Amino acid sequence: MHLWLIRHGETHGNQAGILRGAASAGDELSERGHAQAQALAGRLAAASPRPQAVYASTYRRAQQTAEPLARALGLPVQVRPDLQEVDCGDWAGRPYADLKTAVHDLRLPGGGLGFRGGETFEQIAARFVQALEGLPQDQEAAVVSHGGILRIGLAALLGRDIEEVWMQGELVLGNTDYVLLEKLNGEWSLQSNRRDENFTI
């Protein structure tokens, strides 16, 4: 099974660089984001292997990113729960930069990382992995999701220490960057990627 994990295209919210959580569910792609989605569709539709199904989170920007790819492949966009961005709780309104410069604020009283008033990293990873396990296991699938949950979910899928990945600034995907994973004998491995300079593994 091959799986393309894709971050959505750029939004005006991304340009502002402010965490908004569930309030951003209806945010739409910017003009640049639409262009990114079209370019992504061209790349993956010409790939070998290429996706046989296209899934997106319940958030509008993920669906808009998935739509050109689905059209190019002659497929529908299938909206799936549990692929949406992290619930950032009390972090809503804080700048993206705080995720790097104030990472100590993510430490919860119980010792793990997470967003006070929102989800823990453990909860985020669990719902992402469960969502992927619910997909047909014999299907080459593209999944359009979000930067935060993809970073945490990828760490979990690849057997990495999630806290270490976050603290080291790894597995960061830019808008419409993606990774191609392969599942063999129940284990996921990274096959290739299109990513920005901050993606390391």
Side-chain angles (χ1 to χ4, degrees), residues 107-177:
R107 182 71 63 193
L108 299 173
L113 297 183
F115 299 94
R116 287 178 175 80
E119 293 179 288
T120 67
F121 279 26
E122 184 177 319
Q123 290 170 331
I124 294 163
R127 71 171 166 88
F128 186 76
V129 171
Q130 183 175 16
L132 296 186
E133 288 178 347
L135 302 180
Q137 295 300 295
D138 59 348
Q139 188 179 72
E140 315 280 32
V143 175
V144 184
S145 188
H146 306 265
I149 190 170
L150 283 171
R151 192 174 174 194
I152 293 168
L154 266 171
L157 290 174
L158 296 172
R160 295 287 308 279
D161 182 284
I162 296 172
E163 182 171 326
E164 179 183 346
V165 164
W166 193 275
M167 292 297 190
Q168 296 298 319
E170 298 178 316
L171 305 184
V172 177
L173 291 170
N175 293 119
T176 63
D177 282 348

Side-chain angles (χ1 to χ4, degrees), residues 91 95-104 106 151 166 169 172 198:
W91 276 67
Y96 289 173
D98 280 4
L99 295 170
K100 294 182 179 179
T101 61
V103 68
H104 55 276
L106 291 169
R151 192 174 174 194
W166 193 275
V172 177
N198 294 317

